[in-house]
Amino acid sequence: MRLLKFLIVAGAALVVLAIAYVAFFAGIEAVLRWYFTATNFTASKVPNFAHNLRLGAEITIKLTVISSLTGLALGLIAGIARLSQNPLFRWPAQFYVWVIRGTPLLVQILFAYNALPFLIEPLWKLAQPWGLPPIQDVLTPYWAAFIALSVNVGAYNAEVVRAGIQAIAKGQWEAAMSLGMRPFQVMRYVIVPQAIKIVVPPLVNNVIALLKDSSLASVITLLELVHQGQRMISITFRPVEVYVAVAAIYLILTTVLTFFTDWLEREMARRGTTA
Amino acid sequence: MEPIIRMENVNKWFGALHVLKDINLDVQKGEVVVVIGPSGSGKSTLIRTINRLEEIQKGRIVVDGIELNRDVRNIDAVRKEVGMVFQSFNLFPHMTVLENITLAPRIVRKWPREKAEQIAMELLERVDIADQAEKYPAQLSGGQQQRVAIARALAMQPKIMLFDEPTSALDPEMVGEVLDAMKELARSGMTMLVVTHEMGFAREVADRVIFMDMGEIIEEGEPDQVFSNPQHERTQAFLARILH
């Protein structure tokens, strides 16, 4: 009965979100049309310009959402692994965090798009008889950006998760272990539920940073917001109006996201109780 | 009779610091042992070795016939039989009182929820806070929280209860209610090892008092004998500072 209720609420939330999404981007496109008309761009081309920038914004948001969800999972796993007693878990996690935080995101994006195909090719060829398309078709700019962004935010999330877990007082571990609980049980029932309240704000901050970082994917020809803007400038030679529009859209997107994160933080504070 | 806790030549170092020196201690089933001593004497460390919250580098500890060593199965088996109450309560803040108490029995002893809750309510009655079952720890006073902590440890039905300065963090007016719960536990026949400064408690229910200083057991004996007629100079000095 509870499961059914949850599914109905989740379903309703998804429908609301879908409607909001469609309405939001239709609104963005309408505002852009007004803006480009008001700034005297070629009238016949205005609808196209508005539409393309809107498409770019949509790709930016979609990429941000799937990369942050994947990065969240990666961060949780790596963060917990960093604290494991078992070096087989700990060392790969430490290595991952060290390398990704120590190299520029731009390099990681370029690597994912240009270098990764060569590295995966030998393995890929083995599976080819089973009907896999050639790797160049699979590792499109979108998916290369997805891989690089997920891996990148995952490393930063791992540190947030690690710090959150370590912030939980040692006494909680001692009490739980003295009751006979195994480390995994302690994590699951005692530590992680408390750590979640600590890590949600910084994790959500990382999502907002990711939204802006996604602009770097423009260098591997992904037609996200920045790249669409650059194309428009190469046609119209009006960088001021276009870049202002692009920046404004980012600002709108990050502000909307910030409303959501503020709500999330208030919810956590409202539900939470601390010792 | 085979002692329920046997410590033979137990030694522990924290780095270069020798915190437990050749400890030999036997505790019989049903005995109430109170450990006293100045800060840094190793008394907390001593009881924490019994449920392996602290490891020892040398010597042997046998609890209820189980050898306490690296083997995880042994450690788990010992921890099921040994309950512990901490100075800072360490209740789980994100769970209600009832959930705090039923968590371990359900996931470690695999009891069904009804059984765990029934035992939990009985224990809450025993420590006199049954009406607080649905509250969160933050809503309780220190004395109430510590009594919940006692109930939580008892829910696993341990054979031995360890107390690490259970009343030291409490306001004076709440010390009494916690000591009452501990006295009732002692009278019911529980084997208890208590580190405390509450000499009145020791006088009333302890079978044996142990005085520790600088990692060694200096003196032990019945409470009246140790308090009224300490043999060693260091015991005398310590008691003189405490008992005025």
Side-chain angles (χ1 to χ4, degrees), chain A residues 3 10 27 39 42 46 49 53 69-70 75 78 86 102 104 115 158 167 169 171 179 185 198-199 207 215 228:
Chain A
L3 182 64
T39 47
T42 317
V46 162
F49 289 150
L53 274 185
L69 287 173
T70 311
N86 187 346
L179 287 165
Q185 293 173 314
I198 300 179
V199 301
V207 172
S215 59
Q228 289 282 15

Side-chain angles (χ1 to χ4, degrees), chain B residues 111-124:
Chain B
W111 289 354
R113 175 202 275 256
E114 300 77 33
K115 178 178 177 193
E117 287 188 352
Q118 187 205 323
I119 303 278
M121 289 309 296
E122 282 169 23
L123 287 168
L124 286 174

Side-chain angles (χ1 to χ4, degrees), chain A residues 186-224:
Chain A
V186 178
M187 276 294 230
R188 185 185 155 187
Y189 293 100
V190 177
I191 304 297
V192 170
Q194 293 182 64
I196 284 186
K197 291 181 195 116
I198 300 179
V199 301
V200 161
L203 284 180
V204 159
N205 253 352
N206 284 349
V207 172
I208 299 182
L210 187 65
L211 182 80
K212 293 179 287 174
D213 286 342
S214 67
S215 59
L216 286 172
S218 57
V219 308
I220 54 170
T221 75
L222 181 64
L223 280 173
E224 42 67 68

Side-chain angles (χ1 to χ4, degrees), chain B residues 96-99 117 121 124 130-136 139:
Chain B
T96 62
V97 162
L98 194 64
E99 287 165 351
E117 287 188 352
M121 289 309 296
L124 286 174
D131 51 338
Q132 309 291 336
E134 295 301 325
K135 295 247 174 87
Y136 284 90
Q139 300 169 290

Side-chain angles (χ1 to χ4, degrees), chain B residues 46-233:
Chain B
L46 176 74
I47 67 167
R48 285 158 63 94
T49 57
I50 297 174
N51 65 356
R52 210 171 164 87
L53 284 184
E54 302 287 355
E55 283 180 26
I56 58 173
Q57 282 79 37
K58 211 172 143 198
R60 232 180 127 221
I61 301 180
V62 183
V63 177
D64 197 26
I66 306 167
E67 181 95 23
L68 200 52
N69 53 25
R70 288 230 157 106
D71 192 341
V72 171
R73 285 165 304 180
N74 287 14
I75 300 178
D76 280 349
V78 165
R79 285 185 178 155
K80 281 190 195 144
E81 302 309 326
V82 177
M84 187 154 182
V85 176
F86 300 85
Q87 184 173 344
S88 49
F89 330 139
N90 292 336
L91 293 180
F92 306 136
H94 58 298
M95 297 180 165
T96 62
V97 162
L98 194 64
E99 287 165 351
N100 257 275
I101 300 178
T102 55
L103 179 66
R106 288 175 69 188
I107 65 176
V108 179
R109 290 214 189 270
K110 312 264 197 275
W111 289 354
R113 175 202 275 256
E114 300 77 33
K115 178 178 177 193
E117 287 188 352
Q118 187 205 323
I119 303 278
M121 289 309 296
E122 282 169 23
L123 287 168
L124 286 174
E125 293 275 356
R126 197 169 159 189
V127 295
D128 206 21
I129 28 166
D131 51 338
Q132 309 291 336
E134 295 301 325
K135 295 247 174 87
Y136 284 90
Q139 300 169 290
L140 303 178
S141 73
Q144 290 172 320
Q145 289 188 48
Q146 193 62 303
R147 286 184 280 149
V148 172
I150 294 174
R152 180 178 66 172
L154 288 175
M156 286 293 285
Q157 299 183 331
K159 299 201 177 116
I160 299 166
M161 283 284 279
L162 305 173
F163 291 83
D164 189 357
E165 301 206 38
T167 57
S168 296
L170 294 174
D171 288 338
E173 64 265 24
M174 294 192 250
V175 169
E177 67 200 49
V178 174
L179 290 181
D180 285 341
M182 290 167 65
K183 286 177 199 170
E184 187 269 329
L185 194 58
R187 287 187 203 112
S188 71
M190 175 66 77
T191 312
M192 290 164 68
L193 216 56
V194 182
V195 172
T196 186
H197 299 298
E198 295 290 331
M199 306 303 168
F201 171 82
R203 275 214 147 97
E204 222 181 300
V205 280
D207 297 308
R208 196 178 5 152
V209 168
I210 293 177
F211 172 69
M212 274 186 79
D213 192 13
M214 309 229 282
E216 295 177 279
I217 295 180
I218 305 293
E219 192 168 341
E220 56 181 302
E222 288 186 24
D224 282 332
Q225 183 228 309
V226 174
F227 290 137
S228 315
N229 195 12
Q231 300 295 308
H232 285 253
E233 192 192 312

Side-chain angles (χ1 to χ4, degrees), chain B residues 19-65:
Chain B
V19 293
L20 291 176
K21 300 174 183 163
D22 289 323
I23 301 287
N24 284 288
L25 179 64
D26 281 351
V27 177
Q28 298 295 338
K29 189 162 192 292
E31 229 193 313
V32 175
V33 176
V34 169
V35 184
I36 62 174
S39 301
S41 55
K43 47 193 204 294
S44 286
T45 312
L46 176 74
I47 67 167
R48 285 158 63 94
T49 57
I50 297 174
N51 65 356
R52 210 171 164 87
L53 284 184
E54 302 287 355
E55 283 180 26
I56 58 173
Q57 282 79 37
K58 211 172 143 198
R60 232 180 127 221
I61 301 180
V62 183
V63 177
D64 197 26

